[in-house]
Each structure stands twice: as structure tokens, then as C-alpha cells.
Amino acid sequence: FPSQAAVVEKGGKEIYVDFQDAMTNHHGKVSVKRMSPEITDDLVAACLHLMAGPFEEALRKKVLSTPKGARATDTDFRSWLCGPARAGVCDEDDDEDGGDEKEEL
């Protein structure tokens, strides 16, 4: 997680970003809505909820389906879990693994 997170408005939606990225226009023109230490706490809580709640079984299956000889740590779980095919909390352009987001488990 970034040392300082922020909530910004981009394209009419509020999203979480690294505050330093927002200030350097990494996300293009955005409007900072909130910035506080609690935002990182909120992000951690949301991730824990997803991993131990509604997506726990899918996550377990994803790890267990790792092919023999491969490493589960090579999987981009952030994109897999947060992408539009599951939690839908990441922008589609955030999908960095190039994998199939529509994969079913």
C-alpha cells in the first residue's frame, strides 16, 4: 500500500490512489476528495473483507489450481480478485497481468 492514499474523482467516479501519483498527474487530471491516514486503514479492511468473505472460496480454488511446477506467487491476485469479473473495484486498465478476467472457478 502507498504510504499516503487518497480518494480522487476521475471520470465521475471516486477511486483510491497513491497520493503521490495523484499529485504527479499519474492518473491524469483528477480532483482530490479525501486524504487521511484512515484511508489506508479502509483499504486494508476492504481487502481483508474480500479475501475472507465473498471471494474466499474462489481465491482458495485459484491457489489450488496452480499448475504443478508453477508458483502461486507468480499470479497477479490483485488484478484477478479486484477486476471486473469478480469484485469490480479496479479499473479495466489496471489489469496488468494480461490474464483472462472472465476465467471461472
Side-chain angles (χ1 to χ4, degrees):
F1 282 88
S3 60
Q4 188 173 22
V7 176
V8 300
E9 184 174 327
K10 178 181 176 184
K13 293 190 324 184
E14 288 190 359
I15 60 172
Y16 291 101
V17 299
D18 181 321
F19 179 73
Q20 294 305 317
D21 286 349
M23 294 297 97
T24 59
N25 293 326
H26 178 79
H27 296 280
K29 186 173 180 160
V30 296
S31 172
V32 176
K33 296 296 184 181
R34 291 186 308 280
M35 180 188 74
S36 73
E38 290 80 24
I39 291 176
T40 300
D41 294 341
D42 292 346
L43 284 170
V44 170
C47 288
L48 289 172
H49 169 75
L50 289 175
M51 293 187 315
F55 297 100
E56 181 177 13
E57 186 61 24
L59 182 59
R60 183 182 349 272
K61 287 180 181 179
K62 179 72 172 171
V63 170
L64 293 175
S65 71
T66 302
K68 191 171 190 143
R71 295 174 22 170
T73 56
D74 291 337
T75 301
D76 182 353
F77 286 102
R78 185 192 64 81
S79 294
W80 176 83
L81 177 62
C82 299
R86 284 170 194 78
V89 295
C90 296
D91 289 339
E92 287 188 50
D93 59 354
D94 285 347
D95 182 12
E96 299 166 356
D97 70 352
D100 184 5
E101 279 297 313
K102 292 182 173 47
E103 170 189 350
E104 291 294 325
L105 285 179

